Amino acid sequence: MTGSDGSTYDAAELKLLIQRSGRFMIAPLPANLDTHRAETLCEIVVAAVRAESPQAVIFDASSVQLMDSLVADCLNRAGRMIRVLGSKAFLSGLPPVLCSTLVQLDVRFPDLTKTGNLDHAFESASRCTTTEDP
Amino acid sequence: MHDNRRSVSDQEVVLEIEEESDVARAVVAAQRYLQDLGFDRSRGFLVATAVSELARNIFVHAGAGRITLGRLDEDDRLGFEVVAEDEGPGIADYELAFTDGYSTGQSLGLGLPGVRRIMDEVEFDASRESGTRIAARTWR
């Protein structure tokens, strides 16, 4: 499969991006996140959550330069599925230019907890996964 | 549609939108075009996102169409124009389509209002019985 920038990638390569760190799973979002990459990665992440039951998944957006509303929708749906599966879902490290785009598009991520960076995401994930849900 | 009689350079780039991957290619082409025009990086990403929304609307609602990227020269200012055209069912109510949250497709329905916020000018031809033509412009 060829991405929008001409680079080739497949599901196996995207799967390699996902890392496990203790109770948490980190899914770095690639730069130039087009719809194909977003959908494939989200499918892989949801399958991994189902298989491994991490307490939280952190989507790291620090490398993402451009995101349109459909890609944002894909992340939102992944966040909802992750929550249905019993894990928490985080979105961390949105670059300023991307924040500006998302505000202009009026995109929100109601099922993803936003943090400024991975450290904050880990801190938040640790807090909410050691606190009993009401 | 208004005729602003702006000079559009011969350096137009026309991209056919026939497959979903063409949307992403239009985005990459827009980024390069904007960079060549001297738009700063941040603005380039924002405008390329608007191109993405327009191209995606073509694919989702019409199945096929085209995106035209062009340079604008007016007086002493330089600009960028994107025109999205298709022969699909058209837009019955443009004001509704540009309203946040409205959607007839599979997306969030946030594309056109976002385009209007990102770009300096957006024009459409509401008199068309079928097909869609939306032109959006921004100035450097």
Side-chain angles (χ1 to χ4, degrees), chain A residues 17 19 34-35 45 51 53 62 70 81 86 103 105 110 116-117 122 126:
Chain A
L17 292 176
Q19 305 156 37
D34 59 29
T35 311
V45 168
S53 300
S62 56
L70 202 61
M81 285 190 273
V103 167
L105 294 177
N117 54 49
F122 275 113
S126 294

Side-chain angles (χ1 to χ4, degrees), chain A residues 12-35:
Chain A
E13 290 177 339
L14 286 172
K15 196 173 181 180
L16 290 174
L17 292 176
I18 300 171
Q19 305 156 37
R20 190 67 192 261
S21 176
R23 298 175 289 147
F24 309 137
M25 184 177 287
I26 301 112
L29 302 178
N32 285 346
L33 187 63
D34 59 29
T35 311

Side-chain angles (χ1 to χ4, degrees), chain B residues 16-17 37 59 84 88 95 105 134:
Chain B
E16 299 297 325
I17 307 296
L37 288 180
F59 179 72
E95 285 306 319
I134 297 175

Side-chain angles (χ1 to χ4, degrees), chain A residues 2-6 32 34-36 39 65-74 76-77 80 97-98 100-108, chain B residues 20-21 23-25 27-28 31-32 41-46 48-50 52-53 56 60 100 106-111 113-115 117-118:
Chain A
T2 304
S4 60
D5 54 2
N32 285 346
D34 59 29
T35 311
H36 280 303
E39 289 179 348
Q65 301 163 330
L66 191 149
M67 184 188 296
D68 66 16
S69 57
L70 202 61
V71 170
D73 184 44
C74 180
N76 267 318
R77 283 185 279 115
R80 278 198 295 276
V97 62
L98 187 53
S100 177
T101 302
L102 295 173
V103 167
Q104 297 279 19
L105 294 177
D106 198 25
V107 166
R108 294 140 201 237
Chain B
E20 189 163 12
S21 58
V23 174
R25 291 193 183 93
V27 172
V28 173
Q31 284 180 282
R32 289 179 182 147
R41 193 165 170 266
S42 298
R43 184 69 185 154
F45 284 130
L46 202 56
T49 304
S52 179
E53 299 290 345
R56 187 173 308 289
V60 169
D100 282 312
Q106 297 175 347
S107 74
L108 296 170
L110 300 173
V115 170
R117 278 191 289 271
I118 289 170

Side-chain angles (χ1 to χ4, degrees), chain B residues 91-102 112-113 116 122 124 126:
Chain B
I91 296 176
D93 187 333
Y94 275 88
E95 285 306 319
L96 191 60
F98 278 92
T99 300
D100 282 312
Y102 174 76
L112 291 181
R116 187 148 69 177
V122 177
F124 48 83

